[in-house]
Amino acid sequence: MRSFCVSLCLVLLVVGTWASASALTQIPFRLHNNHIFVEVQVNESKPLKFIFDTGAAATVISEDEADRLSITHDGFSTVRSSRGPKFVYYSDYNDLTLGEVALNRIKMVHLPLQHLNKALDTSVHGIIGQDVLKKYVVEINYDRALITLHDPESFSPPTEYHQQHFELIGGRPYIDGSFQLSNGELLSGKFQVDNGSGSFVTLYSPFVEQHRLTRKIGRTQQIYTMSFSGAIDRNYAGRLEEFEFGWFSLSDIPIRLNQSRYYKKAFKDGIGHIGNALLKRFNIIFDYHHKQSYWKPNQSFANEFKLAYSGLVVKTDQQEEKVVIRHVFEDSPAAEAGFTPDDEIVEINNISASGRSSHEVQTLLNRQTPLEVTIRRQNQVKKINLYPLAL
C-alpha cells in the first residue's frame, strides 16, 4: 500500500472555524465528479446549476439556456478550443444572483455545453469564471461545502491559514511549485490553480517533452482519457516522489503527463495545473485584489492517494434509466477483459448499478481491487472479471 506523508514548514497554530465580518454572502455548493456546482439566478430566472471554476477565463451560459431565457446577442468574440480559435456570441448587461450578492452588467459567453452534461452526468447551465471571482475575496471551505464571498476592502487574513502569493495570468491564478523525480532531479515552474479540473496534478505536453519526463518520472503507465468535448487524449500516469508548493510538501502524488496536441499551443505561461482532486484536501481563500492565497489542510488532507484505471468510460441512458459503456480504451484492463461499447452495467461486485449516476458507477469501476462486473449485452447477461490498474 502506498504511503502518504506530509511535512509542514510551520506548525499549524489554530484549528477551528474562521469567521469574518467581511463576509458578504455564503453559498452552499455540491461537489460532483470533483467539480463545484453552485446555484445562480440569471436575469431573475429560477436557480440554475453553474460550475464554480477558478480556471475559467470568462463567465459562460449554455446556448440552450440563453435561448430559453431569451437572452439576445450583443456581439461575438473568439475563444480557445482544442481545435483552435472559435467564434462565439456573448451578451452584456446580465444580472446574476449568487447567494445574497447581486451582480449587474455581467458579460456572459454563450457556448454549447452538451458535452459537459454528458461528461459530468448532470445538467450544466453555465460556468462562473474569473471575471466574477476577481471582484471578491473567495473562500472555498470543502469541509462545510460552502463558498464565502468577502468584501476585499474589509477582508482580514485568518491567522491559522498559510499564505502563498499567486500571479494572475489571463485572469487565472498561478502558484509556484516544484517536484523531485525518481532520479533526484528537481524541476519547478508555475501551476494553474484550477478547480475546474478533476485531476490531482497535470503537467502539460511542452514541458513533458522538453524534459523527457516520460523516461524520468519513474514507473509510468500509458493511459487514455476522454476530454469534456469527447476527444481522446493519450497520457502517462505515475507518481511524484515529492511535490512542493508554498508551505506544503507532499509525497507520492499522482501525476498525469499530458500528451495532447492542444496543450502544445495553450497555457504557455505555466507548466501544468493542480486540480480539484488535490485542492479539495484544503480549505482555500483567494484574494484576487492582493494576489494572495491562504491554505489550510482540511479533514480529508491525510487521506491516502488512491487511483486506479479500468479503461472504461460510462454514461447514463436517460430514456431507459441504465448505465452503459460509452467507450473502451485500447490496451486497457477493460479491453483485455472483453468489454464493448453499449454493454449495460448491471452489477459491480454484487453492488447494483440500478438508480446510480454514471459518476457513481465510474467510481466503482476505478477501484484498486479485483471486480466482478455483471453486464447485459444484447439481452444476454454475463459476468466479466476486471482488474483495474493501480496508478
Side-chain angles (χ1 to χ4, degrees), residues 37-50:
F37 281 83
V38 297
E39 290 190 347
V40 179
Q41 289 178 278
V42 178
N43 300 334
E44 300 182 347
S45 70
K46 69 178 182 180
L48 304 175
K49 294 168 63 175
F50 275 55

Side-chain angles (χ1 to χ4, degrees), residues 143-345:
D143 281 336
R144 301 173 61 196
L146 197 64
I147 293 170
T148 303
L149 301 182
H150 295 270
D151 177 6
E153 298 299 325
S154 57
F155 172 76
S156 179
T159 58
E160 69 268 29
Y161 282 60
H162 294 289
Q163 181 175 339
Q164 175 154 0
H165 172 78
F166 64 81
E167 294 185 39
L168 283 175
I169 303 175
R172 303 177 179 94
Y174 284 76
I175 63 174
D176 292 327
S178 62
F179 56 92
Q180 183 175 2
L181 303 178
S182 58
N183 64 1
E185 184 178 357
L186 292 173
L187 296 172
S188 61
K190 298 184 186 305
F191 288 82
Q192 183 185 164
V193 182
D194 184 6
N195 66 10
S197 165
S199 63
F200 283 90
V201 177
T202 298
L203 293 174
Y204 299 146
S205 51
F207 188 81
V208 172
E209 293 177 359
Q210 177 186 355
H211 295 278
R212 300 181 179 179
L213 291 182
T214 55
R215 302 178 183 178
K216 296 180 180 179
I217 208 75
R219 185 180 71 85
T220 60
Q221 176 67 39
Q222 181 174 295
I223 64 172
Y224 292 87
T225 57
M226 181 174 288
S227 69
F228 287 148
S229 65
I232 296 174
D233 290 335
R234 185 183 68 175
N235 300 269
Y236 286 87
R239 297 270 176 156
L240 288 177
E241 293 284 325
E242 294 285 338
F243 180 60
E244 296 186 0
F245 63 97
W247 297 95
F248 305 100
S249 176
L250 300 94
S251 300
D252 205 32
I253 294 290
I255 182 78
R256 181 180 297 174
L257 308 179
N258 191 278
Q259 300 290 291
S260 168
R261 287 175 293 176
Y262 171 48
Y263 286 111
K264 294 177 186 287
K265 302 177 182 178
F267 305 113
K268 296 179 181 178
D269 296 297
I271 66 172
H273 68 248
I274 303 172
N276 222 23
L278 181 56
L279 297 176
K280 70 181 182 181
R281 295 166 180 258
F282 297 85
N283 295 329
I284 311 172
I285 302 170
F286 296 96
D287 183 346
Y288 284 84
H289 284 235
H290 299 95
K291 299 178 182 178
Q292 298 293 334
S293 60
Y294 303 88
W295 303 65
K296 185 174 77 168
N298 61 28
Q299 295 173 1
S300 64
F301 180 68
N303 292 348
E304 184 181 2
F305 294 121
K306 291 184 178 181
L307 196 62
Y309 172 67
S310 67
L312 287 175
V313 178
V314 299
K315 64 180 180 179
T316 301
D317 186 323
Q318 299 288 358
Q319 292 182 339
E320 300 188 27
E321 297 183 349
K322 61 185 180 181
V323 176
V324 299
I325 294 175
R326 177 182 180 186
H327 191 85
V328 181
F329 292 116
E330 60 180 270
D331 301 324
S332 68
E336 294 178 4
F339 290 91
T340 62
D342 296 323
D343 287 345
E344 178 189 352
I345 306 295

